[in-house]
Amino acid sequence: MLLQKKRMRRTKKIGILTGGGDCPGLNAAIRAVAKTAIFCHQMEVIGIKDGFEGLIKDKTRKLEIKEVSGILTLGGTILGTSNRANPFAYGEEKKDVSEKVFRNFHNLKLDALVCIGGDGTLHIAHELNQLRMPIVGIPKTIDNDVEATDFTIGFDSAVAVATEAIDNIHSTAESHHRVMIIELMGRYTGWVALHAGVAGGGDIILIPEIPYKIEKICQEVKKRSEFGKRFSIMVVAEGVKFEDKKLVVREIIKGSEDPIRLGGVSYKLAHQIEDLTGLETRVIILGHLQRGGKPTDFDRILATQFGRKAVDLVLAEKFGHMTSLQCGEIGSVPIASAIRNLKKVNLDSSLIEAARGVGTCFGD
Ligand code: F6P
């Protein structure tokens, strides 16, 4: 108790930033961190603008209660974000500007920094922490590909948007007796496609973790036609490789920390399906809609719990750790353990089993 009081006195001022791609639930997390820090521990909270860019260029704003109230349900991030601001490889020349980050951190008189981010941001947070910056992390990404936590902020909201899209596609697919391919985000993992595909009753779900055969997919849509279901809904993760075993890259973004933008494998699959089955096929690439709009109730609750826990971690000086959700419990894990590998869909999971049970084809 005494020790905690002593620490509470020492931790007066914290910074908070959101890095990488945005997602619903970021504002809910900012709100939870700021309110807990201010209400419960009388701290000062400094919002760092545009991810690490704000620490490189000293762009900040003080967050008072009025700035963080009314933002629980707001999509995006009031702080702004950037995925082109890695302090260890900044700009096109990939310069190491980490010294600037340390200088600004000290000039701001921050006692700790809360980084809300996905894989890329957590890597940077870990590296800065190795150099003794007092950092804690909060995992967020619609991709849900961060290890050591069952869910990341934003994933549930993306799944909700994608599920609604799949629901809506059913009627037009049925009217025109078409194969409709819905391509979803998720980078190199299939979490969004698997969850939305199951929730939306996709007939075929393709995810990077399960290699598919085009013949199998064609057999499935033809079988459905023979049984009187003259349409098929196919949910495809953007990270699914084409038959040449290559990812389909939409664009390479110079200067970005994560330069590869996936997208378009569905068009290639659609051509193959039309050629091999004669069935009319259409493609919908849902894109950034999946990252927009309000967070779901699940994400609001997760973000609120993660935000509060992050402040606890700061007070306990558990730096280099991030918040986590494991088997329903909010806890914390070393950031290092969360960034070793991308979290892939477990092929023995009960969700895959259940999907197979109801006849979903994974193309294998
Ligand atoms: O990591 C989140 C994510 O939305 C991926 O699912 C997607 O591949 C990528 O970001 C898109 O990035 P950008 O917003 O830079 O186009």
Side-chain angles (χ1 to χ4, degrees):
M1 189 64 188
L2 252 180
L3 187 64
Q4 198 180 9
K5 275 202 178 141
K6 205 170 132 207
R7 277 177 183 154
M8 275 160 60
R9 268 201 301 277
R10 251 193 294 155
T11 309
K12 292 261 190 265
K13 200 172 178 186
I14 59 170
I16 177 166
L17 64 79
T18 50
D22 74 339
C23 67
L26 290 176
N27 286 325
I30 295 168
R31 168 183 177 268
V33 170
K35 284 196 168 183
T36 309
I38 298 169
F39 282 149
C40 307
H41 307 289
Q42 297 74 49
M43 292 179 188
E44 205 179 321
V45 181
I46 303 297
I48 317 281
K49 294 183 186 172
D50 302 336
F52 286 105
E53 180 91 20
L55 266 187
I56 296 167
K57 297 199 170 156
D58 194 15
K59 296 189 290 178
T60 60
R61 61 188 265 212
K62 188 170 173 186
L63 295 181
E64 309 267 17
I65 290 297
K66 65 177 182 329
E67 270 89 33
V68 295
S69 96
I71 64 169
L72 173 66
T73 62
L74 208 67
T77 160
I78 59 162
L79 294 177
T81 185
S82 160
N83 41 15
R84 291 170 184 243
N86 180 348
F88 297 101
Y90 186 63
E92 298 218 348
E93 290 145 42
K94 303 242 171 270
K95 266 172 78 176
D96 183 346
V97 293
S98 54
E99 247 181 60
K100 269 193 187 173
V101 167
F102 274 88
R103 206 178 315 131
N104 284 326
F105 180 87
H106 290 302
N107 289 344
L108 287 163
K109 298 195 170 29
L110 296 178
D111 296 308
L113 180 66
V114 178
C115 293
I116 310 176
D119 181 51
T121 304
L122 291 171
H123 262 98
I124 298 169
H126 174 65
E127 241 180 290
L128 288 170
N129 178 252
Q130 294 286 92
L131 298 171
R132 303 260 172 274
M133 188 175 279
I135 290 188
V136 303
I138 297 181
K140 70 84 215 172
T141 164
I142 66 158
D143 304 336
N144 199 37
D145 57 2
V146 177
E147 280 275 12
T149 183
D150 294 344
F151 294 108
T152 52
I153 297 171
F155 170 66
D156 189 65
S157 304
V159 169
V161 170
T163 303
E164 195 181 346
I166 300 169
D167 288 351
N168 291 339
I169 288 301
H170 270 82
S171 56
T172 173
E174 192 160 11
S175 309
H176 285 268
H177 322 300
R178 283 173 172 158
V179 177
M180 298 298 272
I181 306 184
I182 300 153
E183 183 174 309
L184 300 179
M185 281 184 167
R187 283 207 305 173
Y188 309 113
T189 64
W191 293 100
V192 178
L194 174 64
H195 282 243
V198 172
D203 306 301
I204 300 157
I205 300 175
L206 300 189
I207 59 173
E209 291 86 345
I210 305 181
Y212 68 88
K213 286 206 161 49
I214 193 70
E215 299 75 29
K216 198 83 200 153
I217 295 167
C218 294
Q219 245 174 41
E220 181 65 23
V221 291
K222 283 207 273 190
K223 190 177 85 194
R224 282 176 56 77
S225 291
E226 283 154 20
F227 280 102
K229 289 276 191 188
R230 296 176 58 209
F231 73 98
S232 289
I233 303 289
M234 189 164 149
V235 180
V236 175
E238 64 179 358
V240 160
K241 292 182 176 149
F242 193 55
E243 64 179 10
D244 52 8
K245 307 273 178 277
K246 286 194 183 134
L247 285 166
V248 178
V249 175
R250 177 170 42 88
E251 120 181 86
I252 306 271
I253 302 195
K254 270 197 179 170
S256 169
E257 221 200 299
D258 168 26
I260 296 173
R261 291 296 169 278
L262 301 172
V265 66
S266 299
Y267 286 110
K268 297 190 168 213
L269 290 166
H271 287 309
Q272 278 188 314
I273 294 170
E274 278 195 338
D275 285 351
L276 295 168
T277 65
L279 292 167
E280 220 185 344
T281 305
R282 293 286 188 273
V283 170
I284 304 102
I285 298 186
L286 211 55
H288 290 82
L289 257 187
Q290 292 158 98
R291 293 209 331 228
K294 287 183 178 185
T296 56
D297 49 358
F298 179 89
D299 273 334
R300 295 176 203 185
I301 292 167
L302 184 65
T304 303
Q305 294 187 98
F306 274 1
R308 193 238 134 101
K309 182 71 186 177
V311 176
D312 285 352
L313 293 177
V314 167
L315 287 169
E317 296 182 4
K318 247 180 136 180
F319 299 123
H321 279 64
M322 70 165 205
T323 61
S324 63
L325 176 74
Q326 290 177 338
C327 305
E329 290 296 321
I330 299 291
S332 68
V333 292
I335 295 176
S337 71
I339 58 173
R340 267 196 292 261
N341 297 300
L342 287 181
K343 183 180 70 189
K344 303 254 181 192
V345 169
N346 173 5
L347 301 188
D348 302 323
S349 74
S350 59
L351 185 55
I352 299 258
E353 247 176 51
R356 289 196 196 277
V358 295
T360 310
C361 166
F362 286 96
D364 56 344

